[in-house]
Amino acid sequence: MSKSFCLIASLCAVLCGHGLHAQNTDRRMLSLDEMFRLADENSSSIKSYNTGKEAAAMAVKTAKAQRLPDISASLSASYLGDGYLWDRDFSNGQTISMPHFGNNFALQASMTVYSGGAINSGIALAELGEQMAALDWQKNRQDIRFILTGYYLNLFKLENQASVIEKNIDLTKIVIKNMEARREQGSALKNDITRYELQLENLKLQLTKVNDAKKIMNHQLVTTLHLPTGTEIVPDTTLLTSDAVAGNEDEWQQKASTSNLSLQQSGLNVEMSRQKEKLERSELLPKIAVVAEEHLDGPITIEVPVLDNNFNYWFVGIGVKYNISSLFKSNKKVKQARLQTRQAMEQQTLAREQVENAVQAAYTDYLTSFTELQTQKKKTELARQNYDVTDNRYRNELALLTDILDASNTRLDAELGLVNARIDVIYNYYKMKYLTHTL
């Protein structure tokens, strides 16, 4: 009974373990669009840049708040000791009794009415910073989407490679089975079977490596998209049948000039440098503000004897402030700001050149991938025909074993190359969309 119970318990544990493993593995077919949506919702990088957008929006509100008046209030209570009074030659000194409780209340308000453009430039800089943060967020989304596209297409490529290898494994097994039957009839040698068995083991090793690579790529996708652990992503097979329209290079260059986020950012950098110029020039101008104050003090210590009374007074007026040292300090800062503006404009020109070159190179690779696909289709067709002919000749003992092994390897390489060529077309198409930031 004890042994039977242990055996039953062991079987239950194994079955339950398989059941839990099956429950933890969730196969989920994802299209590229759905993957992009999940990335927007769950990517930690995108969330971080979104927080940066919110911080930049708050910076604009902070800058605009500089237009509001500054209001301060102060209240103090103090203990006053007795005073001591002398003549001018410090003779005939006498103690002056004073009320010992002192109080002070002040309410001050000021509002800048002219700052030489400093406040307006500060607000403009903050607004440009908000636009820059929005572009950073969009650019990060494009970067994440392109990275995920690379993962996704690599996973797709590995899935198809595994499928091709599995088909070749099945075919090799059939060949081995047929050869074993021929060996029994005396028309095949054991050495011939051994060579095919060796090829079968190599195919199994390739399949193991491909499956391991699939696990790594799948884990990277699952982690980036924040999907449940154990999710197995299955690429959408309709992607291979979708039409990737090449268009012409001028169209892609036009898209890049209007949609590329790096070009937009370089333009914003120029505007920000110009606003910094205005900000530095504002230091050369006076600052004018409307001021108002209300005071309530006691006792009145400017009289002797001291008056134990509260004294209230207020005033309103206009204050003018000018930093004289700016005449020999700020002019250098203005020159520095002008140089920075010129540098930003030069960097903008450089960015245009870099984007144009990148689009031209990517478009050339894009067209090349079409040519490679057509070539690979023809190679695969010829490789399959060659294998069929060689296999037929081998069965009729008109070809050597090495001939059919070479034909089999050539067909396998051609079929894997065809899968890779199809996916390379799609990858180059999405690379064009990434460079134009329309992904």
Side-chain angles (χ1 to χ4, degrees):
M1 287 293 294
S2 177
K3 291 183 179 179
S4 300
F5 177 78
C6 291
L7 180 60
I8 294 172
S10 300
L11 289 172
C12 289
V14 171
L15 292 174
C16 289
H18 284 297
L20 288 173
H21 179 74
Q23 289 175 359
N24 289 333
T25 301
D26 177 22
R27 288 178 60 85
R28 179 170 180 177
M29 179 176 288
L30 279 182
S31 65
L32 275 174
D33 290 337
E34 186 178 1
M35 186 177 64
F36 293 159
R37 180 185 62 80
L38 288 173
D40 289 343
E41 294 175 357
N42 300 326
S43 171
S44 299
S45 180
I46 293 177
K47 287 181 179 179
S48 174
Y49 277 88
N50 190 56
T51 302
K53 281 174 53 183
E54 295 176 0
M58 188 57 64
V60 174
K61 295 180 180 179
T62 302
K64 289 181 177 179
Q66 298 302 311
R67 289 172 171 168
L68 301 176
D70 293 323
I71 302 175
S72 63
S74 62
L75 177 66
S76 65
S78 58
Y79 177 85
L80 300 178
D82 290 336
Y84 200 80
L85 184 67
W86 292 278
D87 289 341
R88 291 290 291 168
D89 58 358
F90 293 98
S91 61
N92 300 321
Q94 57 180 318
T95 300
I96 304 297
S97 296
M98 296 182 64
H100 294 300
F101 176 74
N103 59 271
N104 174 269
F105 171 76
L107 181 65
Q108 299 171 321
S110 65
M111 183 172 180
T112 302
V113 294
Y114 179 73
S115 62
I119 293 178
N120 290 336
S121 294
I123 293 173
L125 271 174
E127 290 174 342
L128 290 171
E130 183 181 21
Q131 295 177 40
M132 184 67 76
L135 290 177
D136 285 338
W137 174 74
Q138 293 180 38
K139 192 171 185 296
N140 180 251
R141 284 179 70 228
Q142 293 290 313
D143 292 342
I144 293 297
R145 288 184 173 193
F146 187 60
I147 291 172
L148 289 175
T149 300
Y151 290 163
Y152 185 86
L153 293 178
N154 278 333
L155 183 60
F156 206 155
K157 186 180 295 186
L158 292 169
E159 288 276 4
N160 283 278
Q161 286 180 356
S163 177
V164 170
I165 294 173
E166 286 171 355
K167 289 178 182 178
N168 279 272
I169 287 175
D170 293 338
L171 183 59
T172 304
K173 288 179 178 179
I174 293 173
V175 172
I176 292 174
K177 184 177 179 180
N178 292 335
M179 292 184 70
E180 287 176 344
R182 292 177 60 187
R183 181 171 176 268
E184 292 177 357
Q185 298 172 0
S187 59
L189 299 175
K190 174 61 178 175
N191 187 45
D192 296 341
I193 298 175
T194 302
R195 289 189 179 186
Y196 258 100
E197 288 176 341
L198 179 59
Q199 182 181 2
L200 178 62
E201 293 304 316
N202 287 332
L203 288 172
K204 288 181 179 179
L205 178 59
Q206 288 184 44
L207 183 60
T208 300
K209 291 181 178 179
V210 168
N211 286 332
D212 290 342
K214 279 170 54 182
K215 291 179 182 178
I216 294 172
M217 203 58 60
N218 185 81
H219 179 75
Q220 291 175 337
L221 278 171
V222 168
T223 302
T224 305
L225 298 176
H226 287 210
L227 294 175
T229 303
T231 301
E232 182 180 349
I233 295 176
V234 180
D236 185 3
T237 56
T238 60
L239 185 63
L240 285 181
T241 59
S242 60
D243 293 329
V245 181
N248 58 67
E249 184 182 345
D250 290 339
E251 292 176 354
W252 288 106
Q253 291 287 4
Q254 181 61 33
K255 285 183 181 179
S257 64
T258 56
S259 302
N260 185 274
L261 298 173
S262 297
L263 295 182
Q264 295 180 36
Q265 287 179 322
S266 63
L268 276 180
N269 282 329
V270 173
E271 292 300 319
M272 292 178 77
S273 296
R274 287 171 177 164
Q275 289 299 329
K276 288 177 182 178
E277 274 191 64
K278 293 181 181 179
L279 192 61
E280 294 298 341
R281 282 199 296 268
S282 69
E283 293 296 323
L284 296 169
L285 300 173
K287 309 296 185 292
I288 301 175
V290 175
V291 295
E293 294 189 20
E294 164 76 15
H295 291 267
L296 178 64
D297 300 326
I300 303 171
T301 57
I302 59 174
E303 295 287 342
V304 180
V306 173
L307 302 177
D308 191 11
N309 300 105
N310 288 321
F311 178 56
N312 174 248
Y313 64 96
W314 61 270
F315 67 86
V316 293
I318 296 177
V320 180
K321 181 180 179 181
Y322 184 74
N323 185 6
I324 298 177
S325 61
S326 64
L327 294 173
F328 51 85
K329 287 184 177 180
S330 295
N331 57 343
K332 296 179 178 62
K333 292 181 179 179
V334 171
K335 290 179 180 178
Q336 180 185 359
R338 287 174 182 167
L339 290 173
Q340 289 174 341
T341 300
R342 190 174 75 183
Q343 183 185 23
M345 294 173 68
E346 292 168 350
Q347 289 175 344
Q348 184 182 30
T349 302
L350 176 61
R352 288 197 189 100
E353 294 175 358
Q354 291 174 338
V355 170
E356 181 181 357
N357 289 335
V359 171
Q360 190 274 336
Y363 184 76
T364 303
D365 291 339
Y366 186 33
L367 295 181
T368 303
S369 66
F370 279 102
T371 304
E372 290 178 351
L373 176 59
Q374 297 304 318
T375 302
Q376 201 63 43
K377 284 180 178 179
K378 188 63 177 178
K379 286 175 63 177
T380 303
E381 180 183 353
L382 294 174
R384 287 171 179 170
Q385 291 176 2
N386 178 63
Y387 177 82
D388 291 340
V389 171
T390 306
D391 181 56
N392 184 57
R393 293 181 63 196
Y394 180 75
R395 292 186 184 190
N396 294 311
E397 300 181 357
L398 297 175
L400 299 174
L401 177 63
T402 53
D403 295 332
I404 193 171
L405 285 173
D406 289 341
S408 177
N409 290 330
T410 301
R411 188 189 62 178
L412 175 60
D413 291 340
E415 289 175 343
L416 290 175
L418 179 59
V419 170
N420 293 341
R422 284 173 176 164
I423 294 176
D424 285 343
V425 170
I426 298 171
Y427 175 79
N428 282 295
Y429 173 71
Y430 278 96
K431 184 177 181 181
M432 292 293 300
K433 291 176 70 68
Y434 168 68
L435 289 174
T436 56
H437 288 154
T438 55
L439 187 57

